[in-house]
Amino acid sequence: MFQEQGAISRCQRQACWFMMAYFLLLASPSKGFLPNFWSKVLTLSLDSHTHQYITEQAILNITTEVLRGTTKHKEDHAEEEARLGRSFWRAMKEVSISNANMDFMMSTKFNPVYHFDAEAIDDSILMLRRFWTQIVLSVRAKEYESARFTLGQLLHTLQDFYSHSNWVEMGKKSIYLHLLQPEEPAVPVAKENTPTCVDCFTPTCRNNLLPALANPQGNAHLLTTGYDSYSKKPKGKCSHGGIMDRSQYLSARGGINKDSTSPLFSPHHYLHMEAAKMATNATLSLLRDLKDTVGPEVFLKLFRVKQVPALVFVMDTTGSMFEEITAARLRAHSIIQNRANGTEHPGTFLLVPFHDPGFGPVYEADDPNQFMEFLENLMALGGGDEPEMSLSAIQLALTHSPPLSEIFVFTDASAKDDYLFDAVKALALEKQSKITFLLTEDPSHTTRVRRKRRSKDSLSPDRFALYSSLSSLSGGMTIFTTNSDIHRVSAVVEDNIAVNKVTLLHVKSDQELMPRHSFRVDSSVKKVTIHVTGTMTECILTSPSAQTQFLLRDQGPMAEVEYFQGLYRISLSPPVQPGQWHLQAMSNDHITFNVIADSSVDFLYYFASAPNETHPGLSRVEGCPVAGETRVFIVLTTKLHL
């Protein structure tokens, strides 16, 4: 299941803002099928098929079709969708957002070639074929994120052909194969001096195409597309049309677009469903061709079907790191063994070593055995002082890992390249990846023995503050432990990258007297684990039925506690009671609570901006919103199978 909801931030009067936005967008021209769900809302045409809907339904249908062909076990449709996995919904959304953004990006929204406008049909066809080549090359190079981005662009242009051209009005009952297959017959395009439309003076335009361009019996023989306000329209040519297109007032008046079911925006609104059906069939055909070209297994990788979270290790390889490297090997082996027993794809494995002055290279593998070889070949050598190139290695890991990754950094040294902090932070937030630091060093030590030789240099007690900031901002943790406890503490790796893992609470608690933190559990939640970093002097857990347990004094009945140096691992006893749970803790220092669980429900999110000059709808905003500007917060919920 996939649902979309929105919440508007920094706007006290949401209804007022909505009406203002609606009337503002009436002043500017529209292009293409409506881009996304919000376009339907803003244009009051809720039965319209958008680029988003056409794209996502087609991807879902073909992916389940491919999955059905690669598995012996037959499932009903709902169960198939649920088993696609969380990463699939994210990958599918990347394609549909890339598609919709063609109507919002400055580099594409005014260019008729990207939208089959202004009779630039031959150039648009060449663009489609270039997109196709780029997609295939990217997939074969395993650059799946780039391939998904280009696929969204291609599908937008392909779908616009059926909405903006007269293909439907010509009486055609099948898709135009020549668009992507040069060997198929081509239909000639109307010349620049050939009139294509007659005047239409009503919002709904019927029979405004000339006979050579519209014939229900399929005898029409010329292709045309509409002109809009941003292209020079010759006399007698068709306009795109609709109240947002100023070219509709030039001869020939009216328009031919089939973007929506609303006569205010689409003069040929009565043909919208036919155009949408044709665009859907073209999208399905292209996805099947892509599957046949790259192979079904690679096709499923492109859409990250049943992909578990990537296992990403950033490893300090200097001389004092023998225990940490050993712990990483053992933990990775345990994870790989557990994944081998599951039905999901083993996932992606990345390893980025660093020391001083070097970092990298990136060791990436889909084969778990190859990843274990990388780890086995790591040697703890050299070193002798602080700091090291840790942020450079983390940046490299973020760049090469997929979105929503969990990145684990093993080190006992601070960052030499602290100038990269803002860049690493921005990249982590963009990819929505979490960074957890496992540090085998006491930050209060200002002089120490390291790398088998003594350093008399003074070390700042705040030298790990950048790590704490990065982990807090990204939703990870910073754990200070010891060499003797590092293997047991590394259990957080296995806890956090399990399939269907969600975060119920992540909060850094200040040094206050027993602050109270809450998290909610519902029927979809199983196997709740609480990680607490730091050192507590008291911790009280309260259930929804007001039962309490002093976690540092008692074991059970509500939870069991494991303590390692720097980390408390608290497991709620099953079955977990639904409702609001509360945590209170006392500490002499900052502590971090991270509550995770298995759940069939999760969500994705992004920020979007309000209407622009070319199309109603909401455009995704990359990065964090700017203070003082109105932004819409989009929440996408997913329902998975457990």
Side-chain angles (χ1 to χ4, degrees):
M1 298 287 229
F2 205 85
Q3 296 178 324
E4 187 165 342
Q5 300 176 354
I8 300 177
S9 61
R10 301 188 60 83
C11 185
Q12 295 178 341
R13 299 180 182 179
Q14 297 182 8
C16 177
W17 177 90
F18 181 92
M19 293 306 296
M20 289 176 64
Y22 179 73
F23 287 113
L24 278 173
L25 63 87
L26 298 185
S28 52
S30 170
K31 304 160 74 74
F33 283 110
L34 299 177
N36 52 35
F37 168 81
W38 302 102
S39 311
K40 297 197 299 183
V41 175
L42 291 171
T43 59
L44 305 180
S45 55
L46 296 178
D47 55 344
S48 296
H49 285 203
T50 66
H51 280 295
Q52 174 190 350
Y53 177 81
I54 293 170
T55 300
E56 292 181 358
Q57 288 300 307
I59 291 174
L60 184 59
N61 288 338
I62 298 301
T63 303
T64 53
E65 179 182 297
V66 174
L67 192 60
R68 201 176 302 129
T70 59
T71 57
K72 296 179 181 179
H73 177 60
K74 300 300 180 184
E75 300 168 329
D76 61 39
H77 188 68
E79 191 175 31
E80 284 177 338
E81 289 188 16
R83 287 190 180 275
L84 290 170
R86 181 173 296 125
S87 55
F88 165 78
W89 300 105
R90 164 86 187 213
M92 183 180 74
K93 204 65 189 174
E94 287 178 28
V95 178
S96 65
I97 288 174
S98 172
N99 182 327
N101 279 351
M102 293 283 276
D103 284 326
F104 301 118
M105 294 189 301
M106 289 300 298
S107 59
T108 58
K109 63 181 179 180
F110 298 122
N111 190 333
V113 175
Y114 290 102
H115 307 281
F116 273 103
D117 285 333
E119 293 185 323
I121 295 174
D122 291 336
D123 289 338
S124 296
I125 290 174
L126 290 175
M127 179 71 71
L128 283 177
R129 294 171 185 174
R130 281 199 293 269
F131 280 152
W132 171 261
T133 301
Q134 290 173 18
I135 292 165
V136 173
L137 290 175
S138 295
V139 170
R140 287 175 174 166
K142 297 184 178 180
E143 296 174 357
Y144 299 127
E145 195 170 352
S146 173
R148 291 191 292 269
F149 177 79
T150 308
L151 178 60
Q153 293 185 310
L154 185 156
L155 291 177
H156 183 100
T157 304
L158 179 67
Q159 292 160 3
D160 271 357
F161 172 78
Y162 299 98
S163 175
H164 292 183
S165 76
N166 62 322
W167 186 260
V168 172
E169 289 87 343
M170 291 171 75
K172 301 294 185 181
K173 301 301 180 184
S174 59
I175 63 175
Y176 188 23
L177 295 176
H178 179 72
L179 294 178
L180 283 160
Q181 301 175 30
E183 68 278 6
E184 293 292 334
V187 177
V189 179
K191 297 185 181 300
E192 185 178 353
N193 59 357
T194 301
T196 54
C197 272
V198 295
D199 283 335
C200 167
F201 298 98
T202 58
T204 299
C205 292
R206 298 181 186 271
N207 303 316
N208 60 326
L209 280 158
L210 292 173
L213 294 103
N215 191 314
Q217 284 72 45
N219 297 324
H221 59 272
L222 287 178
L223 270 177
T224 188
T225 59
Y227 289 74
D228 60 22
S229 306
Y230 293 93
S231 52
K232 187 177 180 180
K233 175 185 169 183
K235 186 176 181 180
K237 290 291 187 181
C238 302
S239 285
H240 180 84
I243 60 174
M244 296 170 70
D245 177 20
R246 294 188 298 274
S247 79
Q248 68 164 317
Y249 301 111
L250 304 175
S251 176
R253 293 170 178 259
I256 63 169
N257 93 69
K258 298 164 282 294
D259 294 347
S260 72
T261 56
S262 168
L264 293 176
F265 293 89
S266 301
H268 282 199
H269 60 92
Y270 51 92
L271 295 174
H272 169 77
M273 289 303 178
E274 288 186 51
K277 181 180 179 181
M278 203 79 76
T280 299
N281 290 338
T283 303
L284 291 168
S285 176
L286 181 134
L287 291 172
R288 288 192 180 100
D289 288 344
L290 181 59
K291 179 261 297 181
D292 293 338
T293 301
V294 302
E297 294 294 337
V298 176
F299 183 88
L300 295 178
K301 284 184 181 180
L302 171 64
F303 288 103
R304 305 190 67 203
V305 174
K306 292 188 173 183
Q307 288 272 1
V308 295
L311 178 59
V312 186
F313 284 163
V314 178
M315 294 292 308
D316 183 344
T317 59
T318 42
S320 61
M321 293 295 294
F322 175 79
E323 290 87 353
E324 292 86 338
I325 293 173
T326 301
R329 286 176 185 150
L330 294 172
R331 192 58 60 186
H333 184 265
S334 175
I335 292 167
I336 288 167
Q337 289 297 109
N338 288 336
R339 289 185 176 181
N341 298 325
T343 60
E344 294 81 11
H345 184 275
T348 300
F349 301 89
L350 277 94
L351 171 65
V352 184
F354 71 92
H355 48 84
D356 182 23
F359 60 93
V362 177
Y363 297 100
E364 183 174 357
D366 291 329
D367 180 359
N369 294 323
Q370 186 181 7
F371 181 70
M372 287 305 301
E373 282 185 28
F374 295 152
L375 281 173
E376 292 296 338
N377 291 332
L378 277 186
M379 300 293 290
L381 297 171
D385 56 4
E386 281 197 59
E388 291 173 0
M389 303 295 285
S390 54
L391 294 188
S392 297
I394 295 169
Q395 185 180 45
L396 204 55
L398 283 166
T399 301
H400 287 267
S401 60
L404 303 175
S405 291
E406 298 268 358
I407 297 174
F408 300 93
V409 184
F410 292 78
T411 186
D412 59 358
S414 55
K416 184 176 187 177
D417 44 2
D418 53 1
Y419 55 87
L420 288 175
F421 175 79
D422 288 337
V424 172
K425 178 182 76 171
L427 191 54
L429 293 175
E430 177 190 338
K431 288 207 162 186
Q432 298 178 26
S433 293
K434 299 177 183 178
I435 306 172
T436 291
F437 294 88
L438 293 90
L439 299 166
T440 48
E441 172 65 7
D442 187 338
S444 64
H445 290 174
T446 56
T447 60
R448 63 190 191 145
V449 176
R450 188 171 189 268
R451 312 294 201 275
K452 297 184 180 180
R453 59 187 187 128
R454 187 171 297 276
S455 171
K456 293 296 185 182
D457 296 334
S458 178
L459 299 175
S460 168
D462 297 326
R463 63 190 181 280
F464 297 114
L466 289 182
Y467 294 165
S468 297
S469 295
L470 268 180
S471 63
S472 180
L473 286 165
S474 67
M477 297 177 289
T478 298
I479 305 169
F480 293 96
T481 187
T482 62
N483 286 338
S484 59
D485 269 353
I486 183 62
H487 174 62
R488 291 187 295 170
V489 166
S490 67
V492 299
V493 178
E494 211 154 344
D495 289 343
N496 279 280
I497 67 165
V499 181
N500 299 330
K501 195 65 67 178
V502 298
T503 301
L504 304 181
L505 173 70
H506 183 86
V507 62
K508 188 172 183 179
S509 184
D510 293 328
Q511 293 172 264
E512 299 178 8
L513 183 62
M514 300 290 283
R516 186 182 178 94
H517 303 291
S518 302
F519 62 93
R520 180 170 289 277
V521 170
D522 61 26
S523 59
S524 73
V525 172
K526 314 290 181 187
K527 196 178 177 182
V528 178
T529 303
I530 304 168
H531 294 135
V532 185
T533 65
T535 302
M536 298 185 292
T537 57
E538 187 64 274
C539 186
I540 303 172
L541 176 69
T542 305
S543 72
S545 59
Q547 283 186 291
T548 61
Q549 180 178 334
F550 290 82
L551 295 176
L552 302 188
R553 308 180 200 174
D554 310 319
Q555 287 287 359
M558 292 162 50
E560 293 185 0
V561 182
E562 298 175 88
Y563 175 67
F564 320 119
Q565 181 64 43
L567 177 71
Y568 299 85
R569 188 170 181 263
I570 305 165
S571 302
L572 298 195
S573 302
V576 180
Q577 183 181 352
Q580 193 88 347
W581 289 75
H582 304 282
L583 276 168
Q584 291 176 279
M586 184 180 294
S587 172
N588 296 325
D589 202 349
H590 297 292
I591 54 176
T592 298
F593 291 98
N594 190 54
V595 183
I596 58 176
D598 293 344
S599 177
S600 59
V601 177
D602 197 9
F603 68 92
L604 304 172
Y605 65 90
Y606 63 91
F607 288 95
S609 60
N612 67 83
E613 302 92 338
T614 62
H615 218 306
L618 298 177
S619 172
R620 177 171 180 162
V621 175
E622 299 298 335
C624 294
V626 178
E629 293 186 359
T630 298
R631 289 292 180 262
V632 181
F633 185 60
I634 306 296
V635 178
L636 315 167
T637 59
T638 63
K639 172 73 173 176
L640 305 174
H641 178 85
L642 277 179

